[in-house]
């Protein structure tokens, strides 16, 4: 058994108090945990500067010089010890406010010292407050010349002498005991092939790097460690799920599908749509439950794919349902799908929170008898009273609004779980998607239907409003419609509503009846009123739709050609992209106007620039990930991405990809990892699973 499993209390040189604080503040319980407390940066002590070389850009400098004089300056509380250091190029003042007596006794004028610290400019000259000092000797100079680790600490830790230096001391102690204690987790052959240094060496070098090159090698090895085992874990789990999750078989492509495909398809499918349909078809022909994520940018045509997948179920005697995150969207899906369903005589129903009791009773009956073949709805579909005769396929639109727990509820209503197709309009790189949603297979629609004109996006400041209003007038005169969206977040709900209503009144004044008509939609309206306002816009009875983000998802009004987003700096990138996707759905040139105040944070500026530069959802998702980190992404917690310490899934995507490919190849060749040469990998995986019982529950 490796010493690494020892409790932190048993580390030589640690006090009970320090151990207690490490546990509480850093979750460090074992030697291994301490070993994984990586430095968050390094101070370069490989270089000596001369005093003349000091500039404001240097965060730290290491100098070599002779002490010229030492003396106390100032009175009482403001007293300080001042020391002048000279090298061949000039002098600099070294200053101490604390430990004055001790320092003054230690330092000897005329002697040579290595000085390390942060230079600051004071009264037109440089000084260093509380530098680290060491008498110079050739031997010491060599020792000092390396990258020095800096560790993060908390206030409580500092009080217990666990500042960065205190931690460094403990870790140095640990590393002395390390030889022979770190089991290698990768076979030699793999390490050689990939040029990875041994694990124990990597641990040593990440804490005590000899130079920049050694540090890079160590970081690379440890990132690989994190990503490779994460992928192995996820892929194995996915395989296990597939073995255990039995599902219905839809053996045939039947008359409904064929009839629709050959006679009623309103347009030619894109190649991407066809490919995805083939992938789904292959899944449902097997006696295993499908869990597939369909990624496609806004407007890429996911709905028709969902519909044709439902036909696969219905042709085989099953029912299908589609669940949407909002009532408006459910209604819209219902309208759109009803048109498609009518062409081939399929029974379709709608169930939302505002369905009447009478409608529900009828619906429940038709579902149970199997007469109703497709049910469209919101969360209301999950109510206990909703019982299908035989539900074969569930489509979930805009998955990020549904928790995993809700997905699971759908399964319990059947003898076998229905196939699940989740549609997402937040495209992210494929490898990453597979990592985030470990149990899902991923399909991608990576092209838009032909003939779409790219939306023109431009950033405006609030003072440009007169120009914006003129532009709206011109577009309306051309017969187009306009969305104007206001932010609404819970924390500032009152204020946001006031802005929305003020904006609305301002617009009504600018666009007076009877020439103009405006709709307004927000979360405080009753569903029926919301629906009424929406419908007026859909039917072109109003030219302007003023709304909060309730219209974010899925709303489809092809005649709308302008999207104006107010206070755009307050929206996230994926939200902006979703909103923009509400226009550009017809044949006309469409526009997106992002309106902001003058004060913009760096991140906000980057978001606005990204939006004006590209329409590519994948590209936008990448920047979003870079800006926000993985913490906000649905699925990160389950996937274990948040446990990554060194790897950054945004910056290390290439490595993530390599690791995934390797993991897939390895598990194909040796599914149970029983080959002798794979024993180290197997042991490491087992150890990981034993440590983290929750992994079994990833879903
Ligand atoms: P989303 O992927 O955002 O849900 P939709 O399914 O709503 O996109 O499709 C957007 C629009 O594109 C709809 O009006 C739809 O009818 C149309 N559409 C979808 N596929 C095609 C295609 N292959 N050719 C032409 N138009 C298409
Ligand atoms: Mg959609």
């Amino acid at each position: 058994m490796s010493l690494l499993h020892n409790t932190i209390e048993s580390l030589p040189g640690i006090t009970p108090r320090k151990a207690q604080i490490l546990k509480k503040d850093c979750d460090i319980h074992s030697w291994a945990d301490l070993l994984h407390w990586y430095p968050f940066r390094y101070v370069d002590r490989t270089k000596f500067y001369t005093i003349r070389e000091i500039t404001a850009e240097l965060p730290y400098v290491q100098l070599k010089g002779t002490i010229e004089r030492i003396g106390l300056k100032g009175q009482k509380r403001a007293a300080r010890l001042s020391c002048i250091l000279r090298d061949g190029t000039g002098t600099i003042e070294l200053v101490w406010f604390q430990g004055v007596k001790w320092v003054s006794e230690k330092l000897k004028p005329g002697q040579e010292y290595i000085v390390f610290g942060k230079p600051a400019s004071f009264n037109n000259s440089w000084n260093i407050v509380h530098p680290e000092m060491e008498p110079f000797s050739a031997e010491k100079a060599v020792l000092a010349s390396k990258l020095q680790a800096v560790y993060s600490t908390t206030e409580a830790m500092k009080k217990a002498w666990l500042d960065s230096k205190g931690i460094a001391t403990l870790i140095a102690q640990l590393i002395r005991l390390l030889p022979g204690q770190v089991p290698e987790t990768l076979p030699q052959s793999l390490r050689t092939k990939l040029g990875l240094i041994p694990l124990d060496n990597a641990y040593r070098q990440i804490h005590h790097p000899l130079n920049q090159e050694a540090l890079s090698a160590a970081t690379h090895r440890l990132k690989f460690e994190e990503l490779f085992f994460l992928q192995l874990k996820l892929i194995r789990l996915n395989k296990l799920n597939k073995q255990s999750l039995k599902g219905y078989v839809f053996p045939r492509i039947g008359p409904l599908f064929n009839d629709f495909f050959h006679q009623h398809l309103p347009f030619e499918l894109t190649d991407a749509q066809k490919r995805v349909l083939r992938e789904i078809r292959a899944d449902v022909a097997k006696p295993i439950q499908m869990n597939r994520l369909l990624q496609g940018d806004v407007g890429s045509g996911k709905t028709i794919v969902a519909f044709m997948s439902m036909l696969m179920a219905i042709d085989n005697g099953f029912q299908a349902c589609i669940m949407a995150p909002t009532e408006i969207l459910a209604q819209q899906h219902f309208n759109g799908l009803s048109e498609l369903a009518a062409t081939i005589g399929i029974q379709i129903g709608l169930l939302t929170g505002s369905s009447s009791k009478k409608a529900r009773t009828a619906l429940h009956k038709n579902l149970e008898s199997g007469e109703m073949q497709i049910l469209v709805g919101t969360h209301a579909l999950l109510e206990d009273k909703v019982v299908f005769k035989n539900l074969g396929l569930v489509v979930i639109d805009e998955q990020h609004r549904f928790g995993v727990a809700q997905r699971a509820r759908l399964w319990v209503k059947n003898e076998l779980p229905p196939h699940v197709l989740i549609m997402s309009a937040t495209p992210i790189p494929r490898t990453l998607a597979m990592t985030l949603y470990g149990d899902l297979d991923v399909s991608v629609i990576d092209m838009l239907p032909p003939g779409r004109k790219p939306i023109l996006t431009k950033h405006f400041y609030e003072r440009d409003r007169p120009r914006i209003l003129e532009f709206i007038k011109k577009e309306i005169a051309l017969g187009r419609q306009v969305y104007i969206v206001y932010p609404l977040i819970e924390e500032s709900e009152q204020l946001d509503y006031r802005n929305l209503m003020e904006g609305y009144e301002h617009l009504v004044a600018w666009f007076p009846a009877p020439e103009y008509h405006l709709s307004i939609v927000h979360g405080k309206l009753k569903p029926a009123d919301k629906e009424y306002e929406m419908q007026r816009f859909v039917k072109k009875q109003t030219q302007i739709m003023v709304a909060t983000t309730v219209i974010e998802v899925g709303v489809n009004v092809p005649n709308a050609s302008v999207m104006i987003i107010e206070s755009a700096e307050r929206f996230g990138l994926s939200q902006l992209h979703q909103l923009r996707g509400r226009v550009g759905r017809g044949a006309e040139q469409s526009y997106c106007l992002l309106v902001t105040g003058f004060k913009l944070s760096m991140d906000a500026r980057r978001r606005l620039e990204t939006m004006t530069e590209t329409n590519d959802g994948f590209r936008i998702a990448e920047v979003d990930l870079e800006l926000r980190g993985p913490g906000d992404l649905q699925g990160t917690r389950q996937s274990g991405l948040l446990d990554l310490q060194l790897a950054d899934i945004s910056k290390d995507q290439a490595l993530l990809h390599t690791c995934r490919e390797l993991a897939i190849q390895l598990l194909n060749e040796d599914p149970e990892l029983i080959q002798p040469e794979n024993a180290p990998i197997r042991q490491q995986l087992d150890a990981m699973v034993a440590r983290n019982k929750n992994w079994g529950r990833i879903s």
Side-chain angles (χ1 to χ4, degrees), residues 268-279:
E268 168 95 10
L269 294 177
T270 62
D271 287 348
Q273 285 170 322
K274 286 183 199 161
R275 170 169 32 85
V276 169
L277 275 169
R278 278 197 300 272
E279 286 168 352

Side-chain angles (χ1 to χ4, degrees), residues 674-695:
I674 44 175
Q675 301 292 338
E677 65 160 8
N678 292 331
I681 297 179
R682 166 99 220 189
Q683 276 156 19
Q684 173 65 0
L685 263 182
D686 288 349
M688 286 166 76
V689 173
R691 261 205 313 277
N692 195 340
K693 298 273 184 320
N694 285 338
W695 282 352

Side-chain angles (χ1 to χ4, degrees), residues 495-618:
L495 195 65
D496 282 347
Y497 269 115
R498 213 166 64 218
N499 288 344
L500 171 77
M501 294 321 290
E502 272 171 15
Y504 175 71
E505 269 149 36
H506 186 210
L507 284 161
V508 170
W510 258 84
F511 297 97
E515 196 183 350
Y516 298 100
H517 300 279
L518 283 73
S519 294
I520 180 163
V521 173
H522 55 77
K524 282 194 177 168
L525 290 182
K526 290 203 194 81
D529 295 339
K530 234 190 276 181
E531 180 54 26
Y532 173 77
E533 290 281 316
M534 278 301 301
Q535 283 308 329
R536 289 209 307 152
F537 189 66
V538 172
K539 290 180 190 146
K540 298 197 199 178
Q541 289 164 356
T542 62
Q543 299 102 333
I544 300 177
M545 158 69 73
V546 181
T548 56
T549 43
V550 285
I551 63 148
E552 182 186 343
V553 189
V555 171
N556 192 12
V557 180
N559 189 52
S561 68
V562 182
M563 166 62 67
I564 295 171
I565 305 177
E566 292 284 345
S567 303
E569 69 270 35
R570 289 178 55 197
F571 290 86
L573 253 184
S574 73
Q575 221 179 359
L576 290 172
H577 182 59
Q578 288 279 333
L579 285 168
R580 176 167 63 182
R582 298 307 108 214
V583 297
R585 303 188 147 230
E588 308 303 337
Q589 176 63 56
S590 291
Y591 305 88
C592 175
L593 280 56
L594 306 170
V595 187
T596 73
F598 253 127
K599 271 202 186 148
L600 295 173
S601 69
M602 292 278 281
D603 279 7
R605 216 168 268 286
R606 181 89 194 280
R607 291 196 294 269
L608 295 164
E609 275 166 19
T610 307
M611 285 295 292
T612 51
E613 272 162 20
T614 183
N615 278 296
D616 178 354
F618 281 90

Side-chain angles (χ1 to χ4, degrees), residues 267-270 273 297-303 449 452 556 585:
F267 35 67
E268 168 95 10
L269 294 177
T270 62
Q273 285 170 322
D297 211 339
V298 197
S300 61
K302 296 183 291 294
T303 314
R452 296 266 173 86
N556 192 12
R585 303 188 147 230

